[in-house]
Amino acid sequence: MTTHTSMNSTHVAAARLDFGKSAPKAFRALIAFDAAAREGIDPALVELIQIRSSHLNHCAYCLHMHTSDARKAGESEDRLHMVAVWREARHFFTEREQAALALTDAMTLVADAGVPDDVYAQAAARFDERELAQILALICTINTWNRVALSTAKAAGTDER
């Protein structure tokens, strides 16, 4: 068991269910949705989106997985370190990547301010309709994966793919 301390409360994380084993049909559907969302999108952009959403959702499991995948695909350490502060380090990212990261921020934090028209317009100006739809789907899938990993207490570094 792992002890977690946050602010003024300490709790011991109890064993949680294995989502893939407990809901195999839903798990396979999510894998299929994820695969469909990635189709035709630059793999480097896929990882940047997944890393950014995982930062915002505080999902260490997914953050570790996607930074590892990005490194294996040749992504630079500089860019990986700058994803968390991409707005202050725009010169590390192309205009398309910046538009996708802004859309990722808005969709991941949708309860804060929705998806502002200017953010959507910036993405729509840099991606064709098919690409934009794929990116929207990808942002939805990583947010779902983050929520599954967080609610089932997946530990960073234990990816079994």
Side-chain angles (χ1 to χ4, degrees):
M1 274 196 219
T2 304
T3 302
H4 300 281
T5 305
S6 64
M7 299 282 214
N8 297 326
S9 67
T10 301
H11 68 277
V12 176
R16 297 192 183 181
L17 66 81
D18 179 320
F19 182 74
K21 289 181 183 173
S22 299
K25 193 171 182 179
F27 185 72
R28 285 191 308 273
L30 186 52
I31 289 171
F33 183 32
D34 187 285
R38 295 165 179 258
E39 214 169 272
I41 302 298
D42 174 34
L45 182 59
V46 168
E47 295 305 332
L48 291 176
I49 289 168
Q50 293 178 325
I51 290 165
R52 181 60 181 156
S53 182
S54 299
H55 277 143
L56 294 171
N57 286 320
H58 303 260
C59 185
Y61 178 82
C62 293
L63 182 59
H64 182 271
M65 178 190 308
H66 295 295
T67 54
S68 295
D69 288 350
R71 280 185 193 94
K72 288 176 193 169
E75 186 61 77
S76 75
E77 288 297 318
D78 281 346
R79 282 174 36 103
L80 289 176
H81 291 295
M82 293 298 114
V83 173
V85 293
W86 73 268
R87 290 180 192 279
E88 291 77 28
R90 290 177 186 268
H91 61 285
F92 282 91
F93 305 100
T94 68
E95 287 186 7
R96 284 171 54 96
E97 290 167 340
Q98 291 176 45
L101 290 168
L103 189 59
T104 301
D105 287 3
M107 287 180 64
T108 300
L109 303 172
V110 70
D112 291 351
V115 177
D117 289 340
D118 64 322
V119 170
Y120 185 88
Q122 179 185 22
R126 286 171 177 79
F127 297 98
D128 65 34
E129 284 189 6
R130 186 204 55 80
E131 291 172 319
L132 184 56
Q134 294 297 120
I135 290 168
L136 292 171
L138 182 65
I139 296 167
C140 289
T141 62
I142 188 55
N143 273 282
T144 301
W145 283 123
N146 288 163
R147 283 151 178 75
V148 168
L150 288 164
S151 60
T152 60
K154 298 289 282 183
T158 62
D159 176 29
E160 299 167 356
R161 295 176 297 152

